Amino acid sequence: MNLLIDDIGELVTNDPAREGLLGIVHDAAVLVEDGRIAWIGRAADAPAADRRIDADGAAVLPGFVDSHAHLVFAGDRAAEFAARMTGERYTGGGIRTTVSATRAASDDELRGTVHRLRREALRQGTTTIEIKSGYGLSVRHEARSLRIAREVTDETTFLGAHVVPAEYADRPDDYVGLVCGPMLRAALPYARWIDVFCERGAFDADHTRAILTVGQAAGLGVRVHANQLGPGPGVQLAVELGAASADHCTHLSDADVDALAGSETVATLLPGAEFSTRSPYPDARRLLDAGVTVALATDCNPGSSYTSSMPFCVALAVREMGMSPAEAVWAATAGGARALRRTDVGVLRPGARADLTVLDAPSHLHLAYRPGVPLISEVLHNGVPQCLT
């Protein structure tokens, strides 16, 4: 059985074979068959179909690809957010608070949070999401976090090197040995990626390289939390190791920008974190002008960016980071797909996965033009209309 989405006023395809950054087709239609895009063209030329959805002149775009999220956690850090809003500086230290709560939570409690936030993201147009561990920081708890994350996504990331847990505070080398050995082995059945928080107060360059190299040798793709809290070696290490993505990229030198521009490593920017910590935003314009591939993601987590809304991140990127609406939409869809090294999502063309978001608006421009407004009217995931209530 096939499905035709008809009477689309503006179709964002991100297809490089079409004109412009977004490959926009006006007065369009899309035919979906067996969970994939079978045909795209003018509505007047649309083939017959078994079922039909009338977009009523609305804009349609690929489902958002959120390539950086931390959904497996327990507890609440609203008081920490309130303190930052009254002047307290963010240092990343609150991660250990979430670790304690996550370790104490039952599987069902963690599962409930993951599924709730995944549904919340879907209601806002996100059809592909990456989920990290990182709030367990023991062999058993990291494996548990990844096992639960795998219930809702194949894009799972082992982040045992988020911070050094309290019980290893005086023995960081021993903790790195644990991450590289028993913890990695326990994570492997559930993880596609490995990540390290390479920052002052977390993991230095030597520890980061050691962990990522071992993970890479075990078959995991590489991602890096890089240059969020200040200048550091994270971006250079990401490029050196061929990482799919260097995430945050808030404090970059000219050499960092040049390294990213000369590589296939995507700079994934997380404006929700800067919004929630009152920190300087990354300079997306500088990166784009240098030829760096940029993605946008939510960084959804309970401490520094408790949002699952990709439309909100698009609006922040336009308002605060020098991106055009078209650049921000591309970064939130095709850019996220690049950061996950996926070619089947973030784009609408024959053969791609039929993940589509229908806006209650005539153009993608409204995602930035009308910030905070619930503009997602319908979502198709693998060609199946989703219940958004």
Side-chain angles (χ1 to χ4, degrees):
M1 182 175 290
N2 56 24
L3 169 67
L4 184 72
I5 302 98
D6 200 7
D7 192 19
I8 300 170
E10 177 191 271
L11 178 67
V12 172
T13 70
N14 292 335
D15 186 348
R18 297 184 182 272
E19 187 176 347
L21 177 65
L22 298 183
I24 290 174
V25 181
H26 294 285
D27 302 320
V30 177
L31 183 68
V32 173
E33 207 166 272
D34 297 326
R36 298 278 169 170
I37 304 293
W39 176 88
I40 290 175
R42 294 174 60 250
D45 302 324
D50 301 312
R51 296 175 56 211
R52 177 177 178 270
I53 292 175
D54 186 352
D56 196 25
V60 175
L61 57 151
F64 294 117
V65 180
D66 186 353
S67 61
H68 185 127
H70 306 253
L71 305 191
V72 190
F73 65 86
D76 180 280
R77 284 159 64 187
E80 180 186 320
F81 171 80
R84 286 198 304 271
M85 294 304 102
T86 56
E88 189 171 302
R89 182 172 173 267
Y90 177 69
T91 63
I95 292 170
R96 291 188 179 89
T97 302
T98 300
V99 170
S100 296
T102 302
R103 287 177 173 180
S106 69
D107 285 13
D108 284 344
E109 287 171 326
L110 295 179
R111 182 173 290 112
T113 297
V114 169
H115 284 260
R116 172 178 62 83
L117 290 172
R118 180 65 191 96
R119 288 192 302 270
E120 186 178 278
L122 184 68
R123 288 196 299 270
Q124 296 170 93
T126 297
T127 50
T128 301
I129 193 166
E130 179 261 14
I131 301 177
K132 304 178 191 296
S133 64
Y135 292 123
L137 306 189
S138 72
V139 173
R140 179 170 72 88
H141 289 107
E142 283 295 294
R144 174 176 74 150
S145 294
L146 289 163
R147 173 172 50 81
I148 291 170
R150 184 53 75 92
E151 294 176 7
V152 301
T153 185
D154 291 333
E155 300 293 348
T156 50
T157 299
F158 170 45
L159 183 59
H162 201 179
V163 294
V164 176
E167 64 269 26
Y168 282 90
D170 298 325
R171 297 178 293 136
D173 289 345
D174 290 348
Y175 184 68
V176 170
L178 180 71
V179 171
C180 290
M183 196 182 290
L184 174 61
R185 289 193 292 273
L188 278 175
Y190 312 108
R192 183 181 176 214
W193 304 95
I194 188 168
D195 195 348
V196 175
F197 188 30
C198 183
E199 293 282 352
R200 191 169 51 252
F203 295 88
D204 64 19
D206 290 340
H207 284 160
T208 298
R209 182 182 286 104
I211 293 165
L212 294 177
T213 300
V214 170
Q216 198 170 41
L220 298 180
V222 172
R223 324 185 70 75
V224 184
H225 280 62
N227 300 59
Q228 176 190 6
L229 304 179
V235 164
Q236 297 289 336
L237 276 171
V239 172
E240 173 192 326
L241 296 174
S245 182
D247 296 23
H248 288 289
C249 294
T250 309
H251 300 275
L252 301 181
S253 67
D254 289 344
D256 293 332
V257 175
D258 290 343
L260 287 166
S263 76
E264 295 185 2
T265 299
V266 174
T268 298
L269 310 184
L270 311 169
E274 279 72 40
F275 176 88
S276 298
T277 60
R278 280 196 171 159
S279 300
Y281 286 90
D283 188 348
R285 183 78 268 140
R286 179 187 180 200
L287 290 164
L288 290 165
D289 288 348
V292 176
T293 300
V294 171
L296 291 174
T298 64
D299 193 18
C300 183
N301 76 82
S304 62
S305 183
Y306 201 8
T307 180
S308 58
S309 175
M310 289 293 280
F312 175 61
C313 293
V314 166
L316 284 179
V318 173
R319 175 63 180 82
E320 302 290 347
M321 288 161 41
M323 300 182 82
S324 71
E327 289 167 337
V329 167
W330 190 94
T333 51
R338 292 270 189 98
L340 295 174
R341 296 199 166 156
R342 297 278 295 272
T343 59
D344 60 329
V345 296
V347 62
L348 300 178
R349 61 186 173 203
R353 203 166 76 178
D355 289 352
L356 302 95
T357 294
V358 183
L359 302 184
D360 184 14
S363 167
H364 70 278
L365 297 172
H366 284 237
L367 288 166
Y369 177 47
R370 304 194 69 208
V373 177
L375 293 178
I376 310 303
S377 65
E378 191 153 8
V379 176
L380 277 73
H381 181 45
N382 287 324
V384 178
Q386 303 294 300
C387 178
L388 301 184
T389 58

